[in-house]
Amino acid sequence: MWAHCAAQINNQCAGEAVMNVHGGGVNILLKTASVGGGIGYPLTFVTPYSYSNSLLLPPIVEIQNVTKSFKKVPRVSDLSFTIDKGDVYGFLGQNGAGKSTTMRMILGLIFPDAGKVLINGTELTNSRRHLLRHIGAVIERPDMYGYLSGWDNLKIFAALTDATIKEKRLYDVLEQVGLRGRERDKVKTYSQGMKQRLGIAIALVHEPDLLILDEPTNGLDPQGIAGMRQLIQSLSREHGKTVLVSSHMLHEIEQVATRMLILHRGKKIAEGPVQELLNPEEMMVRIGIVPDDVITRKLTESQWQKHVVTAADGQLTFRLNKEMIPELNRWLVNNGAGVTDIDSRHSLEDYFISLTND
Amino acid sequence: MIRVLAFVFTLFLLPFTTMASDAQELYLTLRSKVLAVKDYTADVRVLIDVSYMQIPTLEGILYYKAPDKVKMVRKDGISMLPKKNISLTLGSLIPSGGVTVLDAGTATIKGHNLRILKVIPDDDKTGIVLTRIWVDEAALLAYRTETTTRDEGTVVLDLEYGSYARYALPDKVSITMDVKEYKLPKGATMDYSEAPGTPKKPVAAGGKNEKGRIDITYLSYKVNKGLSDSIFADKDK
Amino acid sequence: MIRLLLIELYKIFRRPRTYISFGVVTATSLIFQLAMKAGGREFFEFGMQDISEQFNIQGNIINGYLVAYLILQSLLIQIPLLVALVAGDALAGEANGGTLRLILTRPVSRTRLVMIKFMASSIYTIMLIVWLAVMALFLSLLVFGDGDMINLKSETFILLLKHDVMWRYACAFGFACLAMTTIASLSMLLSAFADNSIGPIIATMGIVVVFTILSNLELPLFTAINPYLFTSHMVGWKGFFDADVPYRAIGKSAMVLFLYTSGFLAATILYFNKKDITS
């Protein structure tokens, strides 16, 4: 038996605890989502868990308190999350947020300094080769052997899986990614989009359960981006694949993902179902005040503390529902704060943009 | 200097002129026997024993033409014969032309009782200063010669005779001579030392020069069949 | 395993770079043969000066066996470079090209990958040496004919009879394969550390050149470490051209090379298994 947090903020389990009981046959699962940051507590959403097929199975990916530094610079700090079978799981974060590092750790390319990576409930380090049979991945650029044809590349990487893959499957997967007819051309003559599609064909050829796509739309034209989106959706809906996809653009994740996780400087900022994280009622409120340590201290002791995202240098940032804004303003004024301006926006998108800008 | 010594030596030996003329006669008889062979072709086996050389026994054909042409030929192979500025044949090592011959006593080598002759050439065109010859008077065969040359040290020939004794042609000749040392820079040869790092074998005592020995075994001869000079032309050069 | 090895070889032999090595061997051999044809005798007699003053040497001295030996001797430095060109690229080239991360997202163990890369590099090395045998030995025999072979060592003059030479070449090429496999394993190790292939290739050459210089320096300090340098043993193939082959020494050298190869390979596997693939 184990518990996992469906929605978390800064690694603290938030909302309703969700119990997933293995072996007992009875599972009561609710998926909760929350957004928030800093010292605040989340707003909690409770929705019925929609992935009935995962009721009896461990998550396909489970990351437990994973930390990784390169040359003493932390890249991923104490990160935990789970991906259930059938999820299209979006990794959102600016460049350098730790998305690729985390994906590489899931694939065993990089070894965590601390924490565990479990695939289908088994620790990766114990059974990397066996577990990788169920994963297909394109990490960063889809680099292949430019001096060989697309077909040769596909054949080579197909042979690197233990499975015996028939030629028909190679043609099918080329058809699926729209490369049929160009497979005999050398890869160095391919456009970025074609390389990306060949990369996905390679990732798919051994029919993995989990597909890991790191920034798959990088370098694609708008048409290519739309095509990629459709491909991911069809892989999920029609072929039942679990997909982990990363992007630095919210709208890309928003359009394909069922759940998402926002990473910033290696830390989890928010995680939960996309629909709920992008709640239109949720606002990001920035309030300018005359700098005052007393107010800051009072704030941390008040009921508003859980909504605080940042509080420094006369700039307070809150994440709260629209109707709470006048009440917060009143509290500040009553406590002697000199409010200079109030600015409120739709929360997650702006919040993400603000992260990207800082 | 050696010539002066030889002259003094000759003066000292003047009272023995009878003996000397006897020796002179023996020498001239021997020489004419040796020089009666104008040419020969022989199957030979050559074994070179020089400390820095590793050469297997070489089998080939040796061509000789009087007075001093020698060549060894091996089919598709390399032949090696010792070389001085004088030819290392019996015919060349016993001086021609005017000579002074002195009796230098007797000796026994391998059971043969031999007379020792000292032969001093009247001129030094050949480069020979002095030759000592150990002669079997009865058989009229030279069993050893020791030739001191002006520039190239001493060459000793030890000879053994068999079925070609009537031509004064030996079955085996062992040549003992001075050989210069040989060395190439290690950086150029990049040798594989047998056990890298272990000290090298001590250099042969005696400094720059050492003795080398070459054994030539004659298996069969064809004597005085007439050899063309073209055989001795150096094709490779 | 066989399938993966075949893939690796396919990758190596489909890459134009691979054929540079074969081209270099061909060109070097041809140039050398041309030079020997033009002035080989003079060149060689320079080295034989001391001998030819005292011995009258007759016959086909500049024959195929001798020319082949001289080619091998002069290629002593180049061949490791050609081996490094492929072995040094084995892991680093894949890292540089970004294909290493793609390979390692497949269910292939890293140890197996290193082993396969090493085997493929070794096969390439052996093929290169076979090609060297064809170009340096067989072509030279065709052009210069055969004959007894003269081998000039620093302090020894060796003459080998022609019927006694070919087996020595066979053994020498076999030994060269072992020596070059050591170079391949060294390059692989350096390749595991790097994310581009130029580094390991240059580093391999640097190590070979420095060690070769140390191996040939006759200073007390260096003679003490000589037995431990693999470059001292790499010239073991020359032992087969001694009149009496020093089998014990060659056996020891082969063992040292084998130990170095195993050591380099084990270090590569150990390091590579722990390496974060960030390329």
Side-chain angles (χ1 to χ4, degrees):
Chain A
M1 175 178 126
W2 95 104
H4 79 263
C5 291
Q8 294 175 313
I9 286 141
N10 288 350
N11 295 329
Q12 287 176 296
C13 205
E16 304 296 315
V18 179
M19 308 299 287
N20 190 349
V21 182
H22 286 290
V26 178
N27 297 273
I28 303 162
L29 270 175
L30 290 174
K31 276 241 161 169
T32 64
S34 62
V35 288
I39 52 172
Y41 286 98
L43 291 169
T44 304
F45 310 92
V46 181
T47 56
Y49 190 29
S50 52
Y51 305 114
S52 54
N53 60 350
S54 68
L55 291 182
L56 294 167
L57 295 169
I60 195 159
V61 176
E62 185 173 7
I63 303 292
Q64 295 178 355
N65 309 99
V66 159
T67 295
K68 181 70 189 178
S69 300
F70 287 117
K71 292 176 182 163
K72 295 188 178 164
V73 178
R75 292 294 173 83
V76 173
S77 305
D78 198 25
L79 182 66
S80 299
F81 65 92
T82 57
I83 302 172
D84 288 312
K85 198 161 168 55
D87 277 350
V88 175
Y89 198 92
F91 252 24
L92 184 64
Q94 63 201 96
N95 294 331
K99 306 185 296 290
S100 290
T101 304
T102 308
M103 287 176 150
R104 281 169 190 257
M105 286 194 281
I106 295 171
L107 289 160
L109 292 172
I110 285 177
F111 304 101
D113 297 335
K116 284 181 185 172
V117 176
L118 289 88
I119 307 289
N120 286 332
T122 307
E123 220 180 303
L124 185 67
T125 45
N126 295 342
S127 192
R128 180 183 154 274
R129 219 181 117 208
H130 172 75
L131 294 172
L132 284 180
R133 286 179 192 148
H134 308 290
I135 305 178
V138 182
I139 296 295
E140 292 183 18
R141 303 171 313 277
D143 292 318
M144 276 154 281
Y145 303 106
Y147 58 93
L148 298 178
S149 67
W151 176 259
D152 281 343
N153 271 282
L154 185 59
K155 259 185 111 165
I156 284 173
F157 288 105
L160 288 175
T161 58
D162 292 344
T164 311
I165 295 165
K166 293 199 171 120
E167 256 189 23
K168 185 181 178 303
R169 172 67 191 155
L170 303 183
Y171 283 117
D172 285 352
V173 81
L174 284 169
E175 192 79 55
Q176 195 177 358
V177 298
L179 270 182
R180 195 77 168 82
R182 292 295 305 274
E183 68 271 15
R184 302 288 169 182
D185 296 351
K186 285 197 172 160
V187 165
K188 65 183 171 197
T189 66
Y190 280 16
S191 69
Q192 187 62 24
M194 288 167 75
K195 285 183 190 167
Q196 196 69 264
R197 280 181 280 162
L198 181 60
I200 291 175
I202 288 169
L204 283 174
V205 72
H206 58 299
E207 303 189 70
D209 302 326
L210 171 65
L211 197 62
I212 297 179
L213 304 173
D214 189 10
E215 310 247 8
T217 56
N218 257 8
L220 298 189
D221 55 21
Q223 205 184 347
I225 292 172
M228 186 61 67
R229 192 166 57 230
Q230 281 167 7
L231 182 65
I232 292 169
Q233 282 165 342
S234 103
L235 286 170
S236 167
R237 289 176 196 156
E238 291 155 32
H239 301 275
K241 306 281 182 213
T242 307
V243 182
L244 169 59
V245 58
S246 76
S247 176
H248 57 277
M249 287 188 276
L250 175 63
H251 67 269
E252 279 186 4
I253 297 295
E254 189 185 340
Q255 287 179 59
V256 295
T258 51
R259 286 177 72 81
M260 68 189 259
L261 181 150
I262 301 174
L263 268 176
H264 181 59
R265 291 182 180 163
K267 289 182 178 161
K268 181 165 74 178
I269 299 296
E271 199 239 351
V274 172
Q275 297 284 312
E276 291 152 12
L277 286 176
L278 296 176
N279 180 356
E281 293 300 307
E282 173 101 341
M283 300 302 286
M284 180 71 87
V285 184
R286 288 197 188 117
I287 299 176
I289 59 164
V290 177
D292 186 343
D293 287 346
V294 180
I295 289 294
T296 313
R297 201 192 68 242
K298 280 184 180 172
L299 195 62
T300 58
E301 290 160 0
S302 73
Q303 85 243 33
W304 298 104
Q305 186 262 346
K306 62 188 175 189
H307 299 287
V308 175
V309 177
T310 60
D313 302 328
Q315 273 287 345
L316 305 175
T317 314
F318 299 86
R319 185 188 304 281
L320 33 69
N321 269 9
K322 216 174 187 172
E323 65 271 19
M324 296 167 80
I325 298 172
E327 199 185 328
L328 171 63
N329 187 29
R330 226 175 356 258
W331 184 90
L332 284 168
V333 173
N334 289 345
N335 281 279
V339 176
T340 55
D341 64 281
I342 297 180
D343 174 40
S344 65
R345 294 187 194 179
H346 178 257
S347 82
L348 190 69
E349 188 160 8
D350 267 18
Y351 179 54
F352 182 66
I353 290 166
S354 75
L355 285 177
T356 318
N357 288 342
D358 69 18
Chain B
M1 180 66 187
I2 293 171
R3 297 256 316 141
V4 174
L5 279 174
F7 182 69
V8 172
F9 195 61
T10 315
L11 281 180
F12 175 74
L13 288 169
L14 263 175
F16 305 98
T17 42
T18 328
M19 269 178 84
S21 67
D22 187 23
Q24 186 106 5
E25 205 182 309
L26 174 60
Y27 174 70
L28 293 174
T29 319
L30 173 72
R31 190 166 79 178
S32 62
K33 184 177 179 185
V34 168
L35 295 183
V37 175
K38 296 295 172 205
D39 63 62
Y40 66 73
T41 305
D43 291 325
V44 292
R45 209 177 267 156
V46 178
L47 183 65
I48 298 175
D49 180 13
V50 175
S51 69
Y52 57 76
M53 295 179 113
Q54 295 177 5
I55 300 172
T57 304
L58 302 176
E59 287 183 10
I61 300 168
L62 189 77
Y63 297 98
Y64 166 78
K65 186 170 183 180
D68 60 359
K69 286 196 175 72
V70 184
K71 185 175 184 174
M72 183 180 167
V73 172
R74 295 180 58 242
K75 196 172 176 294
D76 301 330
I78 293 171
S79 67
M80 290 184 74
L81 279 181
K83 173 172 100 178
K84 295 277 175 187
N85 281 333
I86 52 161
S87 178
L88 295 179
T89 59
L90 187 57
S92 300
L93 290 172
I94 56 176
S96 54
V99 291
T100 305
V101 182
L102 303 170
D103 199 314
T106 56
T108 304
I109 296 174
K110 290 186 183 169
H112 300 283
N113 293 319
L114 306 170
R115 245 181 103 180
I116 307 171
L117 304 179
K118 287 192 179 178
V119 184
I120 303 153
D122 292 350
D123 60 56
D124 65 348
K125 278 182 208 151
T126 54
I128 294 169
V129 176
L130 170 74
T131 298
R132 291 207 291 164
I133 307 174
W134 284 252
V135 187
D136 181 332
E137 280 182 276
L140 207 59
L141 292 170
Y143 276 86
R144 173 179 286 172
T145 68
E146 185 188 282
T147 305
T148 306
T149 64
R150 191 174 50 226
D151 303 319
E152 295 174 292
T154 303
V155 180
V156 176
L157 253 59
D158 281 299
L159 304 103
E160 287 170 26
Y161 295 91
S163 44
Y164 293 89
R166 64 183 184 282
Y167 296 107
L169 291 175
D171 279 9
K172 189 180 174 187
V173 178
S174 297
I175 304 168
T176 310
M177 63 181 212
D178 292 339
V179 286
K180 276 195 256 169
E181 74 163 10
Y182 158 86
K183 198 165 172 62
L184 285 176
K186 237 180 164 233
T189 57
M190 287 191 278
D191 284 353
Y192 169 61
S193 21
E194 289 183 24
T198 52
K200 302 285 167 301
K201 276 183 277 181
V203 181
K208 246 185 118 50
N209 285 330
E210 54 173 297
K211 292 283 178 201
R213 190 183 142 111
I214 297 98
D215 290 342
I216 304 173
T217 308
Y218 294 81
L219 303 171
S220 67
Y221 282 100
K222 283 177 199 147
V223 185
N224 293 340
K225 302 282 180 199
L227 282 180
S228 147
D229 280 352
S230 64
I231 289 173
F232 299 94
D234 196 340
K235 281 180 282 180
D236 295 319
K237 279 197 176 161
Chain C
M1 195 84 169
I2 298 281
R3 185 168 55 161
L4 297 186
L5 182 61
L6 288 176
I7 289 174
E8 207 51 47
L9 288 171
Y10 182 73
K11 271 154 48 179
I12 288 177
F13 286 98
R14 278 297 304 273
R15 206 168 35 174
R17 176 200 292 208
T18 305
Y19 297 96
I20 294 174
S21 308
F22 290 87
V24 167
V25 168
T26 309
T28 316
S29 301
L30 289 177
I31 290 168
F32 211 96
Q33 283 155 349
L34 202 68
M36 289 304 283
K37 197 85 193 161
R41 183 125 195 159
E42 288 74 15
F43 166 77
F44 196 66
E45 268 175 8
F46 180 74
M48 288 217 306
Q49 231 166 13
D50 287 346
I51 304 289
S52 48
E53 267 177 23
Q54 307 179 72
F55 288 89
N56 183 13
I57 303 172
Q58 297 280 337
N60 183 17
I61 297 172
I62 308 297
N63 58 45
Y65 289 130
L66 177 72
V67 173
Y69 189 86
L70 294 175
I71 293 174
L72 291 193
Q73 168 131 317
S74 66
L75 280 179
L76 208 66
I77 293 296
Q78 284 97 316
I79 294 283
L81 172 68
L82 303 180
V83 170
L85 214 57
V86 164
D89 190 59
L91 295 167
E94 300 264 14
N96 190 33
T99 42
L100 185 61
R101 62 168 185 272
L102 189 50
I103 291 172
L104 291 177
T105 61
R106 318 302 277 186
V108 178
S109 91
R110 291 189 183 195
T111 303
R112 182 177 286 201
L113 184 68
V114 170
M115 288 303 294
I116 284 164
K117 292 257 177 206
F118 172 70
M119 283 160 70
S121 299
S122 301
I123 289 171
Y124 157 81
T125 302
I126 290 165
M127 288 176 81
L128 194 63
I129 287 174
V130 168
W131 183 242
L132 180 67
V134 169
M135 288 311 295
L137 180 58
F138 293 106
L139 189 63
S140 293
L141 283 174
L142 212 65
V143 175
F144 296 91
D146 66 354
D148 301 334
M149 184 187 145
I150 291 175
N151 174 16
L152 296 182
K153 288 174 72 176
S154 161
E155 287 166 9
T156 320
F157 172 96
I158 299 164
L159 184 84
L160 302 169
L161 298 181
K162 70 172 180 184
H163 63 79
D164 192 32
V165 179
M166 195 49 103
W167 70 272
R168 295 172 189 267
Y169 268 110
C171 295
F173 281 120
F175 190 93
C177 286
L178 176 65
M180 289 307 126
T181 306
T182 307
I183 297 292
S185 64
L186 169 66
S187 280
M188 283 272 297
L189 174 61
L190 296 169
S191 185
F193 286 109
D195 283 344
N196 72 71
S197 35
I198 302 299
I201 293 169
I202 292 176
T204 305
M205 279 320 289
I207 291 171
V208 170
V209 168
V210 170
F211 278 26
T212 303
I213 292 169
L214 292 184
S215 293
N216 283 296
L217 278 182
E218 287 188 85
L219 298 173
L221 173 69
F222 299 125
T223 45
I225 59 167
N226 268 351
Y228 306 102
L229 299 177
F230 63 89
T231 42
S232 307
H233 300 278
M234 269 170 55
V235 288
W237 64 272
K238 289 185 163 188
F240 290 106
F241 295 94
D242 277 5
D244 295 316
V245 178
Y247 288 107
R248 258 187 106 81
I250 292 175
K252 190 181 142 206
S253 289
M255 187 51 77
V256 170
L257 290 174
F258 178 76
L259 287 176
Y260 262 105
T261 307
S262 313
F264 287 145
L265 193 59
T268 309
I269 289 170
L270 273 177
Y271 176 77
F272 192 64
N273 266 303
K274 293 197 158 92
K275 187 184 180 178
D276 285 331
I277 307 300
T278 54
S279 58

